[in-house]
Amino acid sequence: MNFLDRIQNEVLVGDGAIGTMLYAKGVGLEANFEHLNLVRPELVLELHREYIAAGAQVIETNTFGANFTKLAAIGLDKRMRDINLHGAQLARRAVMGHDIFVAGSVGPLARIKGDERELSSNETGDIFREQCLALAEGGVDLFIFETFSDLEQLKCALRAAAETGLPAIACMAFPEEGRTAAGVDAEKAARELAAAGASIIGANCGAGPLEILANIRRMAGAANLPLAAYPNSGFPEYVDGRYIYRTTPEYFAAKALEMVAAGANLIGGCCGTTPGHIRRLAENLQGVTPVPRMTPVRFEPVTETPSPAATPEGFLADWGKRKIVTVELDPPRGLDCTRVMAGARALREAGADAINLAENPLARVRMGNIALGSRIQREAGIEVIVHITCRDRNLLGLQSDLMGASLLGLRSILAVTGDPARLGDQAGASSVFDLNSFGLIKLLGDLNSGVNALGNGIGAGTGFTIGCAFNPNSPKMEGQVSRLQKKIACGARFAQTQPIYDVAILDSMLERTARLGIPILPGILPLVSERNCEYLHNEVPGIVIPSAVRERMRGKEKEAGMKEGIEIAREFIAQVRERVGGFYIIPPFGRYEIAVELVAFIKG
């Protein structure tokens, strides 16, 4: 009897954690577990046989992270096919002589840290296709897609699996209250995965058996496919240098019976589960058959009328009525913020509308801009645009700090990915990049709507005016415009550009972005010397300085260089001021006095 026939007529037992057990067998956390298929195959085979001896009827290949995005990060992308092929063959060898199914384990793709480019649907599908084909060649009976939080990515995986003709289990991870980390609820996931061609749908990982049980109940009410449940063994606890899971096999197996009652057809274990958990699970489920399922209620999609574009607020409230000028100031490298406070006051008096505070620009340590921004607003009386990067905080920290920024009265946020930590002056620092700028903009939009990243309520919305960066100096500006459109779709309401020195580039930008309907402030970075000019042109990504401007700066240093640089900036502003709604001034080396002069020129 094939897998789909069996799953309709009996409750099958899956295996348990692979990573947990390999770690318990002495494999270090720094090792790549999937690579063991090639370098320590007997260890992987031994684990499969332990789960089979415990009573597992479906075992998974050791290939969860064996996709291009994860293997490329450690230089193993060329071995991707071999790792998957050998992983399938090892599992096939383990079940020889047993009536046991082999499921090819496929996990989500990783985003390359610091890379804002999103994989297209076709690229995503190609990566999954390569993994699925290798697993199919190795002899798997089915696929199990697990621990996904991105619903669209999982749909791409299902399409790739369909090309092999093998059935596929589609499991998502719901870490809190029936929602994925991307905010998709269990009911929506069930309906859309069923429509996308999954043979079985379900939930895995998450908080533990009780949480998985709740999600199985929710999915059972939304779609009539067989259900798979692979809970963690509760929350891990760090004890004496290792992670310990405290959920006992008895408790785990007892909850499994409740999962069967809720509609589960296949039950196994995820993180922290062992052959001991699976042995007790198999004992409890022996001879158990699936419960009858009621036809789920059909939900029709509701078509919403698009809401009109938001009216600019805060420093942008007078956009189109007068020139808006924002100025970037550098937070201090230490605790003395006397100069930046003096600059903020002087710029307010000159007529600037807002102060930009970057967050550790170029990955070099400076004072935290949220606390400094709050002080500037309170003591200097001028609005602050706080730049928030994805480099320095994980998703948890980002949400906490952004809610804190709202509490402090900061209302304008510029969302940027941030320079990688390796570019900075802290050798031991690492980049986080749980999100890129698109994801951060969406998170800010969610917080404005009164929910966190999981869709859970936070009370009133944060009220942020969300900004983003735009690079018009790219030789392929259409690609940058497309990225800007996506940022706007995610929630961006204004943009500030990289420094522009060429009027033709600005005119092209204005023409290509006119339809987008958001304020765009062109960046103005005055040059101060030939050396500075050549450095910016040749070494700083996103900055292009025309040869005519570089020629004007040739041979000019110190006072002469600064004077010429300011004059070039004034000429540029004069040429374009009637075609733009404002400017974003970036004074070189924190010399706010230059910005004061340019603000007075623009406002005069």
Side-chain angles (χ1 to χ4, degrees):
M1 189 180 294
N2 66 32
F3 175 75
L4 292 181
D5 289 336
R6 284 274 300 274
I7 203 73
Q8 294 287 350
N9 296 293
E10 60 182 292
V11 175
L12 297 180
V13 176
D15 60 5
I18 289 181
T20 299
M21 291 304 300
L22 291 173
Y23 173 63
K25 290 176 180 292
V27 179
L29 292 176
E30 73 283 355
N32 179 265
F33 290 161
E34 290 79 12
H35 192 217
L36 297 175
N37 295 340
L38 302 181
V39 297
R40 296 186 66 185
E42 292 303 319
L43 184 65
V44 177
L45 186 62
E46 176 186 282
L47 178 57
H48 287 323
R49 286 172 171 162
E50 288 175 5
Y51 278 124
I52 291 169
Q57 297 163 294
V58 180
I59 67 166
E60 297 183 29
T61 58
N62 177 36
T63 56
F64 172 77
N67 62 64
F68 173 82
T69 61
K70 291 187 176 181
L71 294 177
I74 53 175
L76 288 174
D77 47 303
K78 303 297 185 185
R79 308 301 307 275
M80 184 177 76
R81 179 181 175 277
D82 289 341
I83 290 172
N84 284 283
L85 181 66
H86 282 74
Q89 290 172 341
L90 283 170
R92 192 83 262 161
R93 181 176 159 195
V95 303
M96 193 176 299
H98 300 276
D99 187 16
I100 293 173
F101 298 103
V102 173
S105 174
V106 179
L109 305 186
R111 187 173 52 77
I112 299 173
K113 288 181 179 291
D115 186 358
E116 285 205 359
R117 191 182 74 85
E118 299 266 327
L119 292 173
S120 69
S121 177
N122 287 338
E123 289 172 317
T124 300
D126 288 344
I127 292 171
F128 283 124
R129 183 178 299 107
E130 188 171 357
Q131 186 176 9
C132 289
L133 288 174
L135 289 168
E137 183 182 348
V140 301
D141 299 299
L142 65 147
F143 299 105
I144 179 164
F145 298 104
E146 49 190 344
T147 325
F148 278 73
S149 60
D150 186 328
L151 183 57
E152 295 307 312
Q153 190 180 106
L154 182 47
K155 290 179 185 177
C156 286
L158 286 170
R159 287 193 290 272
E163 296 180 24
T164 69
L166 296 175
I169 303 170
C171 288
M172 301 198 79
F174 303 96
E176 186 176 350
E177 297 184 9
R179 290 181 181 272
T180 69
V184 176
D185 63 51
E187 291 86 351
K188 176 177 178 170
R191 292 192 295 271
E192 296 201 17
L193 292 173
S199 305
I200 299 173
I201 56 177
N204 79 291
C205 208
L210 194 61
E211 190 74 34
I212 291 288
L213 172 60
N215 290 319
I216 289 298
R217 286 171 175 158
R218 296 177 68 172
M219 298 182 89
N224 207 23
L225 288 178
L227 295 169
Y230 279 74
N232 285 350
S233 181
F235 287 105
E237 181 179 352
Y238 194 67
V239 179
D240 295 332
R242 63 188 301 173
Y243 288 99
I244 303 296
Y245 289 84
R246 296 202 176 276
T247 298
T248 65
E250 291 73 21
Y251 175 85
F252 186 86
K255 288 301 172 188
L257 288 173
E258 295 183 49
M259 293 175 200
V260 172
N265 305 64
L266 169 63
I267 303 175
C270 200
C271 304
T273 55
T274 68
H277 291 83
I278 301 307
R279 182 172 294 104
R280 184 53 60 91
L281 179 65
E283 291 169 359
N284 277 22
L285 295 183
Q286 187 172 7
V288 174
T289 56
V291 299
R293 296 265 297 283
M294 296 179 61
T295 303
V297 177
R298 193 172 191 83
F299 292 87
E300 297 297 334
V302 178
T303 303
E304 296 182 358
T305 304
S307 56
T311 303
E313 298 178 352
F315 75 97
L316 292 170
D318 288 338
W319 182 262
K321 301 174 186 176
R322 59 181 179 83
K323 300 303 176 192
I324 302 299
V325 183
T326 71
V327 180
E328 182 164 318
L329 294 179
D330 292 331
R333 296 182 186 277
L335 297 176
D336 184 0
C337 55
T338 304
R339 180 166 174 77
V340 71
M341 293 300 298
R345 293 188 181 96
L347 287 162
R348 182 205 64 206
E349 292 172 4
D353 296 282
I355 300 297
N356 281 271
L357 290 178
E359 181 172 51
N360 297 331
L362 299 179
R364 286 167 168 79
V365 176
R366 290 182 180 271
M367 179 182 287
N369 59 357
I370 291 177
L372 179 59
S374 174
R375 182 170 178 181
I376 289 174
Q377 287 194 165
R378 186 175 64 252
E379 297 183 15
I382 183 170
E383 186 171 347
V384 173
I385 304 168
V386 175
H387 295 202
I388 297 293
T389 75
C390 306
R391 175 194 59 230
D392 300 334
R393 308 172 187 83
N394 63 15
L395 181 58
L396 181 67
L398 278 170
Q399 293 176 84
S400 295
D401 281 355
L402 287 169
M403 287 189 285
S406 177
L407 178 67
L408 290 172
L410 297 167
R411 290 292 178 265
S412 294
I413 305 289
L414 190 86
V416 292
T417 297
D419 304 304
R422 67 176 182 274
L423 298 181
D425 55 1
Q426 301 289 309
S430 60
S431 300
V432 180
F433 295 125
D434 279 355
L435 301 175
N436 58 15
S437 61
F438 299 105
L440 178 54
I441 291 167
K442 183 182 182 302
L443 172 62
L444 288 161
D446 289 341
L447 295 174
N448 279 351
S449 299
V451 297
N452 63 16
L454 287 171
N456 298 325
I458 60 171
T462 47
F464 292 131
T465 298
I466 307 168
C468 65
F470 176 63
N471 178 20
N473 297 313
S474 169
K476 297 181 179 179
M477 194 185 296
E478 276 304 324
Q480 295 298 316
V481 173
S482 176
R483 289 168 57 81
L484 181 56
Q485 284 180 292
K486 184 173 180 180
K487 290 178 180 180
I488 293 170
C490 289
R493 293 296 174 260
F494 74 95
Q496 296 185 148
T497 81
Q498 291 276 25
I500 304 175
Y501 297 90
D502 189 333
V503 173
I505 287 178
L506 183 131
D507 286 341
S508 177
M509 178 193 79
L510 294 176
E511 179 183 350
R512 294 166 188 260
T513 61
R515 69 185 187 279
L516 301 184
I518 67 165
I520 300 178
L521 288 84
I524 306 293
L525 171 56
L527 304 169
V528 296
S529 66
E530 177 187 3
R531 181 185 179 88
N532 167 244
C533 175
E534 292 302 315
Y535 166 75
L536 291 173
H537 178 72
N538 290 288
E539 296 193 39
V540 179
I543 296 182
V544 177
I545 301 178
S547 57
V549 172
R550 292 165 63 201
E551 186 60 36
R552 284 180 64 176
M553 294 301 298
R554 198 167 311 283
K556 294 184 173 65
E557 301 293 334
K558 297 182 179 179
E559 292 302 320
M562 186 179 298
K563 181 179 179 181
E564 188 69 20
I566 293 173
E567 184 58 31
I568 291 169
R570 288 169 64 99
E571 290 174 11
F572 183 89
I573 291 167
Q575 282 183 273
V576 305
R577 65 180 299 153
E578 298 308 317
R579 304 202 287 279
V580 300
F583 297 93
Y584 163 42
I585 299 175
I586 311 159
F589 307 113
R591 297 176 180 175
Y592 68 81
E593 299 86 355
I594 295 176
V596 167
E597 180 178 336
L598 291 178
V599 171
F601 175 70
I602 295 167
K603 296 286 188 173

